[in-house]
Amino acid sequence: HYRENDASSNEGSESHDNSAEQAPAEQSEKPSLEEAQLAIEHLDISFMRRFTRIMFNPTNPFIAGASVLGSVVACQTAYMQGTYEPLPHPQEDRSCGFEPYHGPSGEQAQVTKRLMVLGDSLVIGVGCDEAPLMGQSMARGMSQKLRQNVAWRSMGIDGGDARTIHSTVIDDVRKAVNGYSSSQVGHQWHGERCKCARVDHEDEFIGLAGLSDESGAVQRVQIDVCVVLCGLNDFKRLWKGRTATVFRRDLHAFLTELRSILGPECLIVLPALPLEPTRFPEPLRSFVIYIAEVYDEMKAELARELPMTSFIPKPTVRWWRRVHEKHGGVISGDGVHPNEVGYVVFGKWQGQVIAKGLASRAFSAGGNSALAAVPSVSPLRATQSAARTVTLAAEQ
């Protein structure tokens, strides 16, 4: 807005020119301030538009690769769901038993622990031919490690998530704790693919406990350890909104009611579900393992928050490699559930981990020191220490 003035220009013309120069300057400055204010107000929107344009640009190699990978995982998931054929249930619905321990000279142990196993198809025994093996294998591992008798009972539902397991087995848990015999525990059926485990064997779970008083009435059964196996069917329903947060809320509600039935002295154990041995195709296998770890982390958080509750991390890949070298395959024909060898190995490992936490000197002393020794300790204090040491035993 500057102009060169001739030497012959008078003062009036110069003042006129200066006023003409200032007016356009003010007009040009005003729109610039308005544009700046508008840009600040819409900064987030403009940023997100640019970010979205960059991230979803097909020429971006990272996003292109992630899109292709996600498409492959989606196609593999749809194919496996469409072609999956469920395995039949075991011929025998064994859900109650007794694992005795005999000392070096053949005498039977006098102390009996009571184990309850709740869960999904792993408890039902999908993948086994004759009978479910998870509860029995856990009890056997505990018995050998503790050098005590272990009476066990299992209840589950095939295809059940945390919410379904809660609604299905909670009444039977209440009956079992109140001393109902096997014939008094209800049997629930949920279609051909969802069957609740029955208690149709001799009920050592109650009979060996000596819980009858002089009048013959059966007293309350004290459960020492309750294992809850869940999570796999929850993230299978992720597309229905069953996120990890929803799973955590459902599991918390289940554990809260379970605690009110079992009492404060029962140790509740939440094992992680290892999916490394499964035969999913890549990259679906890696994706499923990652999602399962997210849901297992919800179990670990609840174990840290709730009293007398423990989380067992899954075995390492090196441990599974040794199992494969010794026993061969551990997965059944559907590529998802364990076979009988897998149930025995994994169940026994979990039982030994639980027993190691229960039998450690830290548990007996009510502290973290393995060298401490206290002659007497209350069962409640001992169980609180056990909840802290089970996870440590699994890590060791």
Side-chain angles (χ1 to χ4, degrees):
H1 303 288
Y2 294 96
R3 290 181 293 184
E4 296 180 356
N5 298 322
D6 296 332
S8 59
S9 299
N10 54 22
E11 184 178 357
S13 63
E14 290 179 356
S15 61
H16 176 74
D17 292 340
N18 291 335
S19 62
E21 293 170 1
Q22 293 176 359
E26 295 177 355
Q27 294 177 359
S28 62
E29 183 179 2
K30 186 175 181 180
S32 63
L33 294 176
E34 293 178 355
E35 291 177 0
Q37 185 177 1
L38 186 64
I40 293 174
E41 293 177 355
H42 296 278
L43 178 62
D44 294 337
I45 299 178
S46 300
F47 172 77
M48 288 305 299
R49 286 176 179 174
R50 291 194 300 270
F51 178 79
T52 304
R53 189 181 302 112
I54 293 174
M55 293 301 294
F56 289 94
N57 188 354
T59 61
N60 188 330
F62 174 78
I63 298 302
S67 301
V68 173
L69 190 64
S71 301
V72 172
V73 170
C75 292
Q76 289 177 334
T77 303
Y79 175 78
M80 294 199 65
Q81 289 181 345
T83 59
Y84 177 76
E85 296 182 1
L87 296 176
H89 293 128
Q91 299 177 4
E92 183 181 354
D93 295 331
R94 182 191 308 157
S95 55
C96 189
F98 180 75
E99 289 296 325
Y101 176 78
H102 298 280
S105 58
E107 72 280 4
Q108 183 173 325
Q110 300 299 318
V111 180
T112 299
K113 295 289 185 181
R114 294 176 185 83
L115 169 68
M116 179 174 288
V117 185
L118 311 175
D120 49 20
S121 57
L122 296 179
V123 179
I124 297 297
V126 175
C128 299
D129 295 331
E130 296 183 0
L133 295 174
M134 180 63 77
Q136 181 182 8
S137 300
M138 284 188 186
R140 185 168 299 173
M142 287 182 59
S143 176
Q144 295 175 357
K145 196 73 175 180
L146 291 173
R147 298 182 179 180
Q148 297 176 356
N149 305 321
V150 177
W152 61 274
R153 176 177 289 184
S154 62
M155 305 174 190
I157 179 171
D158 187 7
D161 51 23
R163 189 179 305 175
T164 308
I165 297 171
H166 180 189
S167 61
T168 303
V169 307
I170 197 67
D171 290 337
D172 286 343
V173 172
R174 186 177 290 106
K175 291 180 180 180
V177 172
N178 290 333
Y180 280 65
S181 63
S182 58
S183 60
Q184 295 172 307
V185 175
H187 312 320
Q188 300 185 16
W189 294 74
H190 295 267
E192 297 179 357
R193 294 177 57 183
C194 297
K195 180 173 59 174
C196 184
R198 297 200 304 260
V199 182
D200 52 7
H201 286 266
E202 295 181 4
D203 206 348
E204 299 93 345
F205 193 81
I206 297 176
L208 292 178
L211 297 174
S212 298
D213 56 16
E214 296 178 355
S215 62
V218 180
Q219 303 300 312
R220 178 183 174 87
V221 179
Q222 177 58 50
I223 310 298
D224 297 290
V225 180
C226 178
V227 181
V228 180
L229 296 168
C230 63
L232 178 61
N233 294 299
D234 291 87
F235 76 77
K236 283 169 58 178
R237 296 173 172 86
L238 180 61
W239 63 279
K240 293 183 178 180
R242 298 293 184 88
T243 61
T245 305
V246 176
F247 167 69
R248 188 184 190 279
R249 184 170 63 247
D250 294 341
L251 183 58
H252 184 273
F254 181 28
L255 297 180
T256 301
E257 187 171 1
L258 198 62
R259 173 64 64 192
S260 66
I261 298 174
L262 299 178
E265 297 181 1
C266 177
L267 176 63
I268 297 179
V269 180
L270 304 173
L273 298 181
L275 297 178
E276 283 77 8
T278 56
R279 293 200 295 266
F280 291 119
E282 292 290 357
L284 178 61
R285 176 176 173 273
S286 298
F287 176 78
V288 169
I289 292 175
Y290 171 75
I291 297 297
E293 290 176 351
V294 174
Y295 281 71
D296 286 337
E297 181 59 28
M298 299 296 103
K299 303 178 188 178
E301 290 182 2
L302 289 176
R304 290 190 292 266
E305 296 176 4
L306 301 177
M308 279 87 68
T309 305
S310 251
F311 172 75
I312 299 182
K314 60 184 178 181
T316 62
V317 177
R318 181 179 301 177
W319 185 86
W320 282 114
R321 187 177 294 113
R322 293 198 300 266
V323 169
H324 282 288
E325 292 175 355
K326 183 177 180 180
H327 301 283
V330 295
I331 298 297
S332 60
D334 65 351
V336 180
H337 294 89
N339 57 18
E340 294 182 345
V341 175
Y343 275 109
V344 171
V345 173
F346 182 55
K348 187 177 180 180
W349 176 84
Q350 291 183 96
Q352 290 177 346
V353 170
I354 296 171
K356 188 175 182 181
L358 293 173
S360 63
R361 290 184 180 272
F363 162 59
S364 300
N368 293 326
S369 175
L371 300 178
V374 177
S376 62
V377 64
S378 66
L380 180 59
R381 184 183 177 189
T383 310
Q384 289 174 339
S385 180
R388 293 192 297 268
T389 54
V390 165
T391 301
L392 177 61
E395 294 174 352
Q396 292 175 348

